[in-house]
Amino acid sequence: MSTTFWIIIAGAVATYLTRIGGHLVISRFDNIHPRVEAGLNAVPAAVLTTLVAPELLNAGPAEWAALVVTAVVSLRGGLMSMFLAGAAVLIVARQFVG
Amino acid sequence: MSAEVISESRAKSDFWQGVRLSMPVVVASAPFAVLFGALAVDNGFSVLEAFLMSALVFGGASQMVGIQLFGQHVAPWLIVLSIFAVNFRHVLYSAGIGRRIAHWPIIQQALGYFILTDPQFAVAEARAASGRTVGFAWYLGLGLPVYVFWVIESALGAVFGKLIPDTHALGIDFLLPIYFLGLVMGFRKRPLWLPVVVASAAASIIAYKTVGSPWHVSIGAIAGVLLAVILPPHHSGVGERP
């Protein structure tokens, strides 16, 4: 078997461990402390933010415009409408500012 | 007997309700699946390997990081470690969703964790937060179409990827941040949302500049979660039992 194959297998095992690991560890506790619960509630926003924030360092006017429009539309619309609005602004803006 | 019929038809309608909710995710992830396939072949993967990685790992950002490092001839153990680091956030999702699906049979739970992606967690958590139970049929309806389309589109991208003319003009390289920003905004009604987002943003940018990618993901996330843990419970809206 090729090295690539083993990288994919090992990567898949590592990924599954992350997906089941939190449950296997946390479920050993009977009661969840309020602070732990507060931490868990903060998880999605905390993680997803880290996938966006560093992009701001490399973002130009087109990217900024797309993110601002995305944020504004998300106050009213659903996920799909805000995604399409942001993508549309990005594509149009890049025709002008590259 | 009639109870079984009723529960079976309810499971069916739950499944299709999940499928409906999966559609925005299917559409939003399609460009990334095709892009992954195209980039994978470009970085030395075969079409079969691109297909296998999507089918077995099923994690967009980590797959992108994996093929990028592979193309740079980075040591295999470091590629696997980077995939692990990018996906480490799932430990936190897993701990969160575990509270919602603990009543499922063990095989269903094992499958449920396999398809636990960012949007899967976000949508399932939103359902649980609104007071409804997260059933297996509904959860599978939400996750299965995303998985099937992801794998098929990755293979298609690998086959036809080199035909994409100008990925920059089409904005494909920046669709992921836009999508993730939308998910972040979706959680804005949660207690401590703004301080958590600010802490995670600052920490991830600093980590990105110093430690480097992909560790900024784990470091930034830990900063935001720690802040929520450290702040007094009455700020976070939990544990206020009379």
Side-chain angles (χ1 to χ4, degrees), chain A residues 11 14-16 18-19, chain B residues 57-63 81-93 118 217-218:
Chain A
T15 300
Y16 191 68
T18 67
R19 284 184 169 142
Chain B
V57 176
F58 188 44
S62 71
Q63 291 178 226
L81 188 65
S82 298
I83 291 172
F84 184 74
V86 171
N87 284 330
F88 191 74
R89 65 187 189 279
H90 292 121
V91 168
L92 305 164
Y93 293 165
D118 300 293
V217 175
S218 299

Side-chain angles (χ1 to χ4, degrees), chain B residues 4 14 20 24 29 33 44 56-57 77 123 174 176 178 193 196 220 223-224:
Chain B
E4 266 172 36
D14 278 357
R20 256 204 316 280
S29 59
L56 297 179
V57 176
W77 70 269
V123 177
F174 203 71
L176 210 50
I178 290 174
W193 179 79
V196 166

Side-chain angles (χ1 to χ4, degrees), chain B residues 170-228:
Chain B
L170 288 176
I172 285 176
D173 55 300
F174 203 71
L175 292 181
L176 210 50
I178 290 174
Y179 180 68
F180 287 140
L181 175 64
L183 292 181
V184 170
M185 295 300 292
F187 285 104
R188 69 186 181 281
K189 300 235 168 76
R190 286 205 175 183
L192 297 178
W193 179 79
L194 189 60
V196 166
V197 165
V198 170
S200 293
S204 67
I205 287 175
I206 292 168
Y208 185 81
K209 282 287 198 185
T210 54
V211 189
S213 183
W215 295 104
H216 67 278
V217 175
S218 299
I219 292 171
I222 288 169
V225 172
L226 269 184
L227 181 74

Side-chain angles (χ1 to χ4, degrees), chain B:
Chain B
M1 187 193 82
S2 63
E4 266 172 36
V5 172
I6 289 169
S7 105
E8 192 182 304
S9 78
R10 177 172 300 163
K12 258 185 198 158
S13 92
D14 278 357
F15 177 83
W16 288 109
Q17 199 193 352
V19 169
R20 256 204 316 280
L21 290 170
S22 79
M23 284 304 125
V25 186
V26 168
V27 173
S29 59
F32 310 119
V34 174
L35 185 68
F36 164 76
L39 292 177
V41 170
D42 207 41
N43 281 278
F45 270 43
S46 69
V47 173
L48 177 66
E49 286 162 349
F51 165 83
L52 263 185
M53 193 179 201
S54 277
L56 297 179
V57 176
F58 188 44
S62 71
Q63 291 178 226
M64 298 290 190
V65 169
I67 54 164
Q68 190 188 352
L69 296 176
F70 183 82
Q72 295 167 3
H73 304 289
V74 168
W77 70 269
L78 204 55
I79 298 177
V80 174
L81 188 65
S82 298
I83 291 172
F84 184 74
V86 171
N87 284 330
F88 191 74
R89 65 187 189 279
H90 292 121
V91 168
L92 305 164
Y93 293 165
S94 161
I97 210 73
R99 300 177 292 177
R100 319 295 192 190
I101 68 172
H103 60 283
W104 297 359
I106 200 79
I107 297 291
Q108 293 183 355
Q109 287 191 45
L111 182 63
Y113 286 114
F114 179 74
I115 56 172
L116 183 58
T117 57
D118 300 293
Q120 184 80 15
F121 173 72
V123 177
E125 187 70 10
R127 181 180 172 91
S130 73
R132 286 166 295 176
T133 55
V134 176
F136 179 71
W138 178 85
Y139 185 94
L140 192 66
L142 177 65
L144 193 61
V146 181
Y147 178 81
V148 170
F149 278 99
W150 177 260
V151 173
I152 292 173
E153 288 157 357
S154 298
L156 287 179
V159 174
F160 298 109
K162 284 170 183 165
L163 301 178
I164 295 179
D166 184 353
T167 53
H168 180 79
L170 288 176
I172 285 176
D173 55 300
F174 203 71
L175 292 181
L176 210 50
I178 290 174
Y179 180 68
F180 287 140
L181 175 64
L183 292 181
V184 170
M185 295 300 292
F187 285 104
R188 69 186 181 281
K189 300 235 168 76
R190 286 205 175 183
L192 297 178
W193 179 79
L194 189 60
V196 166
V197 165
V198 170
S200 293
S204 67
I205 287 175
I206 292 168
Y208 185 81
K209 282 287 198 185
T210 54
V211 189
S213 183
W215 295 104
H216 67 278
V217 175
S218 299
I219 292 171
I222 288 169
V225 172
L226 269 184
L227 181 74
V229 170
I230 289 168
L231 287 174
H234 68 268
H235 282 302
S236 48
V238 295
E240 295 170 336
R241 292 174 190 92

